[in-house]
């Protein structure tokens, strides 16, 4: 028997209103303060508009620069929490200088598959392989707060 519209709707609402796990919020709290925020007068909207350089969807509009920057950072925090909860790697605030190189040999079909995966994520092959290799470190599991879904999907944890 199908679920009624009312019970389905209330279940979806609960999923949207729940807080993030404490470990997720802590990790976002480490990253977001390092992000760069640009604020400027927006003549079209007649207010201060802001945007996070590292997360282009984190924007804000306010009467003052301080309020705008706070709104942008709040939106960036929420976006990073969602990314971490999904098992995605949020952007770093500053990319370190990479001076070490390793060589990896691929069969032709493996290279083609890796290039296609990288292109689908909007990354270079080098960045895609680096992120894949460092994924367990970059995700930085928080004191056992990983979800079972993420553990099974990524086969670590």
């Amino acid at each position: 028997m199908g679920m009624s519209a009312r019970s389905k709707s209330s279940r979806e609402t609960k999923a949207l209103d729940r807080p993030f796990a404490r470990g997720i919020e802590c990790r976002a709290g480490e990253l977001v303060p390092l992000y760069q925020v640009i604020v400027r007068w927006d003549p079209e909207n007649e207010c201060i508009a802001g945007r996070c350089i590292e997360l282009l969807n984190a924007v804000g509009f306010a009467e003052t620069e301080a309020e705008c920057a706070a709104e942008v950072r709040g939106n960036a925090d929420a976006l990073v929490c969602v990314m971490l909860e999904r098992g995605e790697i949020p952007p770093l605030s500053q990319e370190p200088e990479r001076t070490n190189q390793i060589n990896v040999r691929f069969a032709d079909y493996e290279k083609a598959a890796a290039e296609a995966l990288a292109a689908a994520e909007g990354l270079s092959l080098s960045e895609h392989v680096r992120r894949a290799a460092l994924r367990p470190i970059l995700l930085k599991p928080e004191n056992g707060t990983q979800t079972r879904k993420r553990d099974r999907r990524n086969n670590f944890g």
Side-chain angles (χ1 to χ4, degrees):
M1 179 174 270
M3 188 180 292
S4 72
R6 182 180 168 147
S7 61
K8 183 177 182 182
S9 176
S10 69
R11 193 180 89 208
E12 290 172 355
T13 301
K14 287 180 185 175
L16 296 174
D17 290 341
R18 66 174 169 63
F20 292 104
R22 181 159 162 52
I24 297 269
E25 288 180 340
C26 288
R27 179 68 175 133
E30 294 171 356
L31 295 172
V32 173
L34 302 174
Y35 289 169
Q36 299 175 62
V37 174
I38 296 175
V39 295
R40 64 176 175 77
W41 175 253
D42 182 357
E44 184 178 320
N45 293 306
E46 297 182 355
C47 66
I48 303 292
R51 178 179 300 266
C52 178
I53 291 176
E54 292 82 359
L55 292 166
L56 297 180
N57 290 333
V59 298
F61 300 91
E63 295 298 317
T64 69
E65 290 181 5
E67 290 171 344
C68 184
E71 184 174 331
V72 171
R73 290 201 185 280
N75 291 333
D77 187 66
L79 285 169
V80 169
C81 284
V82 168
M83 292 176 78
L84 290 169
E85 194 172 67
R86 290 179 176 173
E88 298 172 9
I89 300 170
L92 298 175
S93 61
Q94 297 176 9
E95 291 293 328
E97 181 180 359
R98 295 193 173 95
T99 57
N100 295 296
Q101 178 178 338
I102 59 172
N103 294 313
V104 179
R105 298 200 180 269
F106 286 101
D108 288 339
Y109 74 91
E110 292 171 327
K111 182 181 179 213
E115 287 172 333
L117 289 170
E121 293 181 31
L123 301 173
S124 67
L125 178 58
S126 177
E127 180 64 10
H128 174 74
V129 170
R130 188 186 70 78
R131 286 185 181 195
L134 298 175
R135 186 170 192 81
I137 296 167
L138 294 173
L139 282 176
K140 206 175 182 183
E142 300 86 9
N143 304 326
T145 59
Q146 287 179 308
T147 63
R148 287 184 175 174
K149 181 178 179 182
R150 194 167 82 194
D151 289 348
R152 273 189 244 124
R153 185 175 65 222
N154 294 329
N155 294 326
F156 67 88

